[in-house]
Amino acid sequence: MASAAKGRSRVLEYKGHPLRRKDNLIYYGSMSDKYIIMLQVTESKAKEDLNIATRVVVQLQYTDPDLKSRDRVLKKSEKNSFYEAIDVAAVWLERALASG
């Protein structure tokens, strides 16, 4: 018997905003909002059978497709773990969306 949820993919969320991954890039937020966060894993190390991020670039960006890619970036930082990066990303995104 087929389940209603079987055809739909589940969206991973963090603090109420979606997370989407493409290779070493993770997008945090919705493209329908004015701002989004891009997390880029630039360095990782193997620990047992997992790759652990050791350097992550965090960027707060406009989602406006008419802007050049360099003009979209509002804030940029580099963190030493994914936890630190997503923690900063959550604060930046909430503040940006709250300010309009």
Side-chain angles (χ1 to χ4, degrees):
M1 183 173 254
S3 168
K6 187 176 182 181
R8 289 184 266 157
S9 64
R10 293 174 39 116
V11 175
L12 184 62
E13 289 188 357
Y14 180 70
K15 295 191 176 183
H17 298 285
L19 285 162
R20 298 283 185 176
R21 180 179 175 195
K22 173 76 171 124
D23 299 323
N24 66 335
L25 295 176
I26 298 116
Y27 294 95
Y28 177 54
S30 174
M31 289 303 286
S32 62
D33 291 334
K34 187 175 180 180
Y35 305 99
I36 196 166
I37 298 284
M38 185 187 77
L39 301 143
Q40 181 179 18
V41 178
T42 57
E43 193 175 282
S44 61
K45 68 177 180 179
K47 185 172 183 179
E48 296 178 16
D49 60 344
L50 294 175
N51 283 333
I52 307 296
T54 56
R55 182 174 294 151
V56 182
V57 175
V58 183
Q59 292 182 359
L60 174 66
Q61 299 181 351
Y62 285 113
T63 56
D64 186 353
D66 296 331
L67 292 174
K68 294 179 185 175
S69 60
R70 69 170 187 246
D71 295 335
R72 289 184 195 164
V73 178
L74 295 167
K75 287 186 180 185
K76 185 176 179 179
S77 181
E78 191 172 298
K79 299 298 174 188
N80 294 322
S81 72
F82 187 77
Y83 175 79
E84 289 178 23
I86 195 71
D87 196 35
V88 166
V91 171
W92 284 2
L93 187 59
E94 285 301 320
R95 287 181 181 172
L97 293 174
S99 69

